[in-house]
């Protein structure tokens, strides 16, 4: 049964021996981060990797507050969060959905009914405000004070406190569809934060659409597009525009709501790289197999998860950017200061005795490694929909998801590995992948030793490494320009004569099956192990 809210999830964590309550006083400034970091790294490299979820019950400076961390911090817990014995089961549910068999007789048609019922569960339901627990306490106007929340500072040189696990809700001005994305928020003061949606993310595109509408006379202005995130300062760009256009931009406020502390599937859905037109609320419903209950926000025209611990409401003013960062990031480095939009709060609603949810990112493996692995498993069928020759994919956490992807393929024609690289660079957020290694289908991509052996033995580097240019993740600190740079693909497949390889290709080593079974039978007696 789907978790009704964060508390229901915490109950299950506790019953399953997956929760540690921390009753000693801990400071949300750096101390919680250090505890969560050490916990995330427990049992590293073993099947039991990733320590327990942590519930801080004695938060320095915030009497009565509770903070949940590391809720997704192990393979086991990620499965528990998505209520499945295997993440591949979720992938298989997606496969069934995207490849429904054409029914030929009555019985086959009947078999489709449960699937239709299942689809009915995906769509969110809107409930009335009186039934929405997230509105038990409402603060508006002067009463809004973000500093009341036990928000963490996670690394020593961070620009301040950051909300690290927010589900940021915006509406597409053209289609009316809602998007939920996880974009960190730096606290500037009681009523304002940064809004770190990177420029290729969906909320940034929502903002660009509004800018396009406000500046129809200057469509395609490149400086203007930079106004959505990580670009030049607003003042510089606005200077180039007509006064009437500037007024139009400044008059437009983009409404934003943020949910903190939801049921685990909803929080997880905020990080999945879904196609822009697929609402994350639907993904949450699919994962929960139960509709998500939403409620109208108080001061903005957006629907928010009714059971959330906290809802922050407000707006981002078009044309306004402010310095964000530095922030100790999941790359293991600080991301430096850049300009990002500013979120102005108009209202905070929360439950009675709200539980704040947070994560820390840093040198892998961290909690987000497990969230990323779940994305890898769940998205495999969707990748295979476009590139059916893909057998398996591995995004090692140390490759921080956008730096390294290892792909195995059924190679069928000359240049096939290159086609796969180009296909991946063209696919949603996989466009950011800095390095792709392509191996043949008989290589287990999850076995990094085997991948290393192939990726180095099977290449003539000058011939088999392909470089290209394109969009780069905003967090990349080495690219020649922010958000733009080069990528590399390594074709570590066996080379074919059709690809101009004329030397014989050696077979890989394997022992005769007969010899192996004979030695198996004797192995124990030999007393070696
Ligand atoms: C803990 C965590 C923090 C993240 N912080 C950011 C962030 O600050 N900015 C950003 O653009 N993406 C961030 N991401 C990645 C996005 O959530 C992810 O790309 C998501 O798919 C974006 O949703 P969208 O496709 O609807 O824009 C973060 C992911 C995680 C797991
Ligand atoms: Mn999205």
């Amino acid at each position: 049964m789907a978790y009704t809210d964060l508390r229901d999830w915490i109950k299950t964590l506790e019953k399953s021996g997956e929760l540690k309550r921390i009753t000693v006083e801990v400071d949300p400034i750096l101390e919680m981060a250090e505890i969560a970091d050490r916990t995330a790294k427990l049992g590293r490299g073993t099947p039991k990797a990733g320590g327990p979820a942590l519930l801080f019950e004695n938060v320095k400076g915030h009497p009565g507050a509770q903070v949940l961390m590391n809720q997704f911090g192990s393979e086991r817990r990620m499965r528990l969060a998505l209520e499945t014995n295997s993440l591949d089961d979720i992938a298989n549910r997606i496969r069934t959905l995207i490849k429904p068999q054409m029914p030929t007789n009555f019985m086959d048609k009947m078999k489709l009914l449960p699937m239709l019922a299942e689809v009915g569960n995906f769509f969110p339901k809107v409930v009335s405000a009186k039934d929405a627990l997230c509105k038990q306490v409402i603060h508006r106007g002067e009463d809004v004070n973000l500093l009341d929340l036990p928000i963490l500072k996670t690394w020593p040189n961070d620009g301040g406190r950051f909300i690290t696990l927010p589900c940021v809700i915006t509406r597409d001005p053209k289609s009316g569809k809602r998007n939920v994305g996880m974009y960190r928020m730096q606290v500037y003061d009681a009523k304002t934060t940064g809004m770190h949606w990177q420029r290729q993310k969906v909320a940034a595109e929502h903002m660009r659409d509004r800018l396009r509408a406000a500046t129809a006379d200057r469509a395609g202005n490149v400086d203007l597009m930079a106004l959505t995130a990580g670009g030049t300062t607003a003042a510089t760009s606005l200077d180039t525009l007509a006064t009437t256009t500037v007024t139009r931009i400044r008059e437009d406020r983009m409404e934003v709501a943020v949910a903190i502390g939801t049921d685990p599937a909803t929080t997880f859905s905020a990080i999945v790289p879904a196609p822009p037109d697929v609402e994350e609320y639907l993904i949450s419903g699919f994962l929960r197999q139960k509709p998500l209950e939403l409620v109208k926000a108080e001061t903005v025209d957006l629907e928010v998860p009714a059971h959330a611990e906290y809802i922050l409401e407000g707006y981002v003013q078009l044309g306004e950017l402010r310095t964000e960062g530095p922030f100790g990031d999941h790359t293991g480095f600080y991301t430096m200061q850049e300009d990002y939009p500013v979120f102005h709060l108009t209202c905070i609603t929360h439950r009675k005795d709200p539980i704040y949810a947070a994560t820390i990112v840093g040198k892998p493996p961290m909690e987000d490694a497990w969230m990323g692995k779940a994305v890898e498993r769940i998205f495999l069928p969707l990748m295979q929909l476009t590139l059916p020759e893909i057998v398996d994919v591995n995004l090692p956490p140390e490759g921080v998801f956008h730096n390294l992807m290892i792909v195995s393929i059924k190679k069928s024609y000359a240049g096939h590995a290159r086609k796969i690289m180009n296909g991946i660079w063209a696919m949603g957020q996989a466009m950011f992948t800095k390095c792709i290694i392509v191996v043949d289908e008989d290589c287990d991509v999850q076995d990094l030793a085997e991948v290393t052996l192939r990726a180095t033995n099977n290449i003539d580097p000058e011939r088999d490494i392909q470089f290209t240019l394109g969009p780069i993740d905003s967090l990349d600190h080495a690219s020649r320009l922010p958000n733009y740079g080069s990528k590399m693909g390594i074709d570590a497949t066996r080379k074919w004569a059709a690809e101009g390889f004329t030397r014989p290709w050696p077979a890989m080593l394997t022992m005769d099956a007969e010899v192996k079974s004979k030695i198996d039978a004797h192995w124990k007696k030999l007393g070696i192990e």
Side-chain angles (χ1 to χ4, degrees):
M1 272 308 283
Y3 302 110
T4 49
D5 52 17
L6 188 74
R7 295 165 195 222
D8 190 24
W9 167 225
I10 290 173
K11 244 188 250 161
T12 298
L13 287 172
E14 188 147 47
K15 262 196 279 170
S16 322
E18 292 281 343
L19 183 81
K20 177 78 189 149
R21 291 177 184 267
I22 311 285
T23 51
V24 296
E25 188 186 69
V26 180
D27 199 329
I29 306 292
L30 302 181
E31 289 181 4
M32 278 185 192
E34 174 65 11
I35 293 170
D37 185 15
R38 291 190 195 194
T39 307
K41 290 182 169 62
L42 289 175
R44 189 175 179 176
T46 70
K48 290 205 122 188
L54 305 170
L55 188 63
F56 294 95
E57 297 180 319
N58 185 350
V59 183
K60 189 170 177 188
H62 297 270
Q66 296 183 77
V67 177
L68 179 69
M69 294 190 77
N70 209 29
Q71 58 178 304
F72 299 110
S74 72
E75 202 257 339
R76 208 167 51 252
R77 222 151 45 246
M78 200 61 242
R79 283 191 278 107
L80 199 59
L82 302 180
E83 299 172 277
T84 180
N85 292 324
S86 156
L87 294 169
D88 292 328
D89 287 350
I90 298 177
N92 286 331
R93 278 180 59 215
I94 296 179
R95 276 195 191 93
T96 319
L97 272 176
I98 56 189
K99 277 193 207 145
Q101 302 295 318
M102 190 62 86
T104 50
N105 58 38
F106 180 72
M107 282 312 284
D108 281 351
K109 282 183 190 154
M110 294 300 285
K111 281 186 201 146
L112 281 179
L113 286 178
M115 207 173 90
L116 291 178
E118 191 188 17
V119 172
N121 277 332
F122 303 169
F123 294 92
K125 279 203 303 226
V126 177
V127 301
S128 70
K130 67 173 179 9
D131 296 322
L133 292 165
C134 69
K135 291 187 194 283
Q136 280 177 326
V137 182
I138 300 179
H139 302 280
R140 298 162 180 272
E142 281 310 295
D143 210 18
V144 171
N145 187 1
L146 205 50
L147 308 180
D148 285 342
L149 276 65
I151 301 172
L152 279 65
K153 177 177 177 182
T154 51
W155 292 101
N157 296 338
D158 280 2
R161 299 189 186 220
F162 285 77
I163 301 174
T164 51
L165 211 56
C167 303
V168 178
I169 303 144
T170 54
R171 195 186 294 282
D172 185 329
K174 288 191 304 224
S175 68
K177 285 196 174 160
R178 296 155 299 204
N179 189 71
V180 189
M182 185 163 292
Y183 319 117
R184 70 168 185 245
M185 297 158 62
Q186 176 174 359
V187 177
Y188 294 132
D189 57 46
K191 291 185 173 57
T192 46
T193 76
M195 188 48 86
H196 192 260
W197 51 53
Q198 295 161 15
R199 65 172 54 190
Q200 304 97 339
K201 304 297 170 74
V202 174
E205 181 60 17
H206 290 176
M207 194 176 183
R208 266 193 299 275
D209 272 336
R210 305 183 80 96
L211 274 166
R212 285 188 187 105
T215 58
D217 51 331
R218 290 289 299 267
N221 182 305
V222 283
D223 282 348
L224 201 63
M225 293 304 114
L227 281 179
T228 50
T232 47
T233 63
T236 322
S237 297
L238 290 179
D239 278 352
T240 66
L241 301 173
T243 342
T244 47
T245 313
V246 175
T247 312
R248 254 199 331 265
I249 292 176
R250 292 221 165 108
E251 272 170 1
D252 192 3
R253 290 177 168 186
M254 169 171 165
E255 293 185 332
V256 180
V258 179
I260 304 170
T262 67
D263 72 286
T266 303
T267 300
F268 176 72
S269 72
I271 73 144
V272 303
D277 271 354
V278 179
E279 289 199 343
E280 280 79 1
Y281 286 151
L282 211 65
I283 297 175
S284 169
F286 165 78
L287 292 167
R288 290 159 48 90
Q289 307 193 49
K290 195 178 165 198
L292 180 64
E293 292 193 346
L294 302 176
V295 67
K296 284 247 169 247
E298 291 293 303
T299 58
V300 293
D301 179 27
L302 286 166
E303 294 77 32
V304 297
H307 66 256
E309 296 290 328
Y310 288 97
I311 299 291
L312 317 181
E313 303 178 10
Y315 62 89
V316 161
Q317 172 81 63
L318 261 65
E320 182 187 20
L321 297 182
R322 182 168 167 177
T323 306
E324 201 265 3
F327 178 69
D329 227 311
H330 81 131
T331 54
F333 291 86
Y334 284 99
T335 45
M336 300 320 290
Q337 292 187 329
E338 278 185 306
D339 288 338
Y340 273 88
V342 182
F343 177 56
H344 298 268
L345 277 84
T346 51
C347 180
I348 297 181
T349 79
H350 62 80
R351 295 177 61 147
K352 284 191 189 128
D353 303 320
I355 303 171
Y356 181 76
T359 189
I360 169 189
V361 293
K363 273 194 194 168
M366 284 286 200
E367 179 177 8
D368 65 334
W370 305 105
M371 300 164 90
K373 276 282 150 194
V375 168
E376 172 198 296
R377 289 298 93 198
I378 294 171
F379 268 71
L380 182 58
L382 297 172
M383 287 181 78
Q384 289 167 328
L385 199 61
T386 321
L387 302 169
E389 58 272 65
I390 290 184
V391 176
D392 199 6
V393 167
N394 182 10
L395 296 160
E398 292 72 16
V400 306
F401 303 109
H402 40 87
N403 284 346
L404 179 60
M405 183 187 289
I406 305 162
V407 195
S408 55
I409 61 161
K410 279 193 185 68
K411 180 166 167 173
S412 309
Y413 42 78
H416 206 155
R418 313 252 173 175
K419 177 243 186 179
I420 289 294
M421 295 169 197
N422 290 312
I424 289 166
W425 285 322
M427 197 184 281
Q429 290 184 38
M431 69 170 141
F432 299 124
T433 314
K434 189 146 81 169
C435 179
I436 300 173
I437 301 175
V438 186
V439 291
D440 285 310
E441 62 182 307
D442 62 339
C443 174
D444 176 3
V445 293
Q446 310 301 334
D447 180 348
L448 292 181
E450 177 74 15
V451 171
T452 309
L453 191 85
R454 306 268 187 141
T456 48
N457 265 314
N458 281 0
I459 62 165
D460 175 297
E462 201 185 7
R463 183 195 59 205
D464 294 329
I465 292 179
Q466 156 127 21
F467 292 106
T468 192
L469 282 167
I472 291 282
D473 194 282
S474 303
L475 303 187
D476 190 294
H477 59 249
S479 57
R480 62 203 66 197
L481 286 169
N483 302 303
Y484 177 69
S486 70
K487 301 135 194 267
M488 173 175 86
I490 301 178
D491 176 359
T493 60
R494 173 187 178 151
K495 302 302 160 336
W496 291 10
E499 294 168 325
F501 188 83
T502 49
R503 298 173 60 199
W505 191 274
M508 279 193 93
L509 308 182
T510 45
M511 185 45 72
D512 284 345
E514 215 174 296
V515 176
K516 268 176 145 348
S517 61
K518 185 171 171 196
I519 299 301
D520 279 348
H522 289 334
W523 184 250
K524 276 230 168 84
K525 282 182 258 160
L526 299 176
I528 296 170
E529 209 176 8

